[in-house]
Amino acid sequence: MKKGIKLLLSAAFALSIVGCAGNSSSDEKTIKVGATAIPHAEILNDVVKDELEKEGYTLEVTEFTDYVTPNTALEDGDLDANYFQTLAYLKEQNKERKLHLKAVAGVHYEAMALYSENLKSLDDLKDGATIAVPNDGSNESRALALLAKNNLIELNDDTLYTASSITSNPHNYKIEELEAANLPNNLPDVDVAVINGNYALEHNLGDSANVLLTESFTDEEAQPYINYLVVKEGNENTAKTKVLKKALQSKKVKNYIKKYKGSVKDVFTDPTK
């Protein structure tokens, strides 16, 4: 009787080992990535998933509507990686929340652009026109810099530009400061608006409005705005990280990004080198 029990227990133990091994094998071939919807999750689902399948991996994408949870989920081990943030934000979150996350691949930045519902060219912008810009620090500075770079206004040497940084406005443009997320909805009420790439994408502005100007950076100048693939410290060189990095920095992703018509621009970088 005891011998029978031992045999039964041995069989059960063997089955449990097989089950664990099966789960382990499955887990090793499944890559879980957290991302915000546009363009990150679209790039992952539409391009990267197929590339990973060719390498024998299954990609599971979890979409997040906030910026905090994908980092805490990665820290807790619920994700293998995330893809949505800049280096500055990552550094801030690591410090504030005591996280241990590392950027391993730069993929793209979302370009700011000057949009209009009615004007087809910058030449059509009349004196006294109303230009809407984001009202928060970094985005307003970035928007004003775009206007200055294209000779619409002149700015002083402030590190962070605001409307008071304008030293010359020869065409008497009216600068209207609005919440960044509301700019697409307010576009019909102004002549033009400088709008963040992600908000433009969410409102399909590339299809429904004219793009008069868009940011153009060298790879070095784009560094503060690049969105990175991020993993937990210690996983920078795992097989999953390597194959994911390769897929995200592929020619197919580069070509896919063209669909965003300038709102997204590829900048492939390697912060680990």
Side-chain angles (χ1 to χ4, degrees):
M1 186 69 175
K2 290 182 180 178
K3 185 176 181 181
I5 291 174
K6 287 181 180 178
L7 287 172
L8 184 61
L9 288 174
S10 297
F13 180 72
L15 284 172
S16 69
I17 293 295
V18 171
C20 289
N23 290 338
S24 175
S25 176
S26 176
D27 288 344
E28 288 175 2
K29 289 298 183 178
T30 298
I31 303 178
K32 299 178 181 179
V33 182
T36 45
I38 302 175
H40 309 84
E42 286 187 345
I43 292 171
L44 289 167
N45 284 317
D46 293 351
V47 184
V48 174
K49 181 174 287 187
D50 289 342
E51 293 301 292
L52 292 180
E53 283 182 0
K54 295 175 185 176
E55 302 294 332
Y57 289 88
T58 299
L59 177 64
E60 292 183 3
V61 179
T62 300
E63 291 188 18
F64 292 87
T65 57
D66 71 298
Y67 292 156
V68 175
T69 313
N71 274 341
T72 55
L74 180 56
E75 178 75 16
D76 293 340
D78 298 325
L79 299 171
D80 295 303
N82 67 40
Y83 168 40
F84 74 95
Q85 64 193 313
T86 63
L87 288 180
Y89 183 77
L90 175 62
K91 183 178 180 180
E92 174 189 307
Q93 288 294 295
N94 274 338
K95 182 178 180 180
E96 180 181 331
R97 301 182 185 278
K98 296 181 172 54
L99 306 178
H100 308 83
L101 309 181
K102 290 279 189 176
V104 292
V107 183
H108 80 271
Y109 73 90
E110 294 149 28
M112 262 189 178
L114 184 69
Y115 292 88
S116 175
E117 282 200 347
N118 301 312
L119 307 183
K120 294 183 179 180
S121 165
L122 197 60
D123 295 334
D124 298 328
L125 190 62
K126 297 180 179 178
D127 290 358
T130 298
I131 303 176
V133 299
N135 65 1
D136 60 286
S138 61
N139 283 320
E140 179 171 10
S141 181
R142 195 173 163 185
L144 293 174
L146 175 63
L147 299 178
K149 188 174 182 179
N150 288 275
N151 302 314
L152 297 181
I153 58 173
E154 292 182 10
L155 299 168
N156 61 19
D157 295 327
D158 287 345
T159 303
L160 201 64
Y161 302 123
T162 65
S164 61
S165 303
I166 299 173
T167 58
S168 178
N169 184 2
H171 299 284
N172 295 312
Y173 296 131
K174 298 173 184 175
I175 306 299
E176 188 167 345
E177 299 161 307
L178 300 172
E179 186 178 348
N182 288 331
L183 283 167
N185 294 326
N186 285 279
L187 186 57
D189 303 319
V190 297
D191 294 291
V192 293
V194 184
I195 301 175
N196 296 71
N198 60 312
Y199 295 129
L201 290 170
E202 288 176 13
H203 290 78
N204 297 314
L205 290 186
D207 297 323
S208 63
N210 298 312
V211 181
L212 308 184
L213 289 174
T214 188
E215 286 177 326
S216 179
F217 295 131
T218 64
D219 285 1
E220 184 176 351
E221 291 171 332
Q223 293 298 317
Y225 313 117
I226 296 174
N227 286 194
Y228 284 82
L229 174 69
V230 173
V231 300
K232 191 170 182 179
E233 192 174 291
N235 293 330
E236 295 93 329
N237 295 304
T238 65
K240 287 184 179 182
T241 299
K242 288 179 179 179
V243 73
L244 186 56
K245 179 177 176 179
K246 180 182 177 182
L248 268 170
Q249 293 187 329
S250 66
K251 288 183 179 180
K252 288 191 176 181
V253 167
K254 186 185 286 284
N255 289 331
Y256 181 84
I257 282 175
K258 293 177 182 178
K259 70 171 267 187
Y260 296 112
K261 301 178 181 178
S263 293
V264 181
K265 296 193 175 183
D266 61 275
V267 184
F268 294 166
T269 62
D270 189 342
T272 65
K273 292 182 179 179

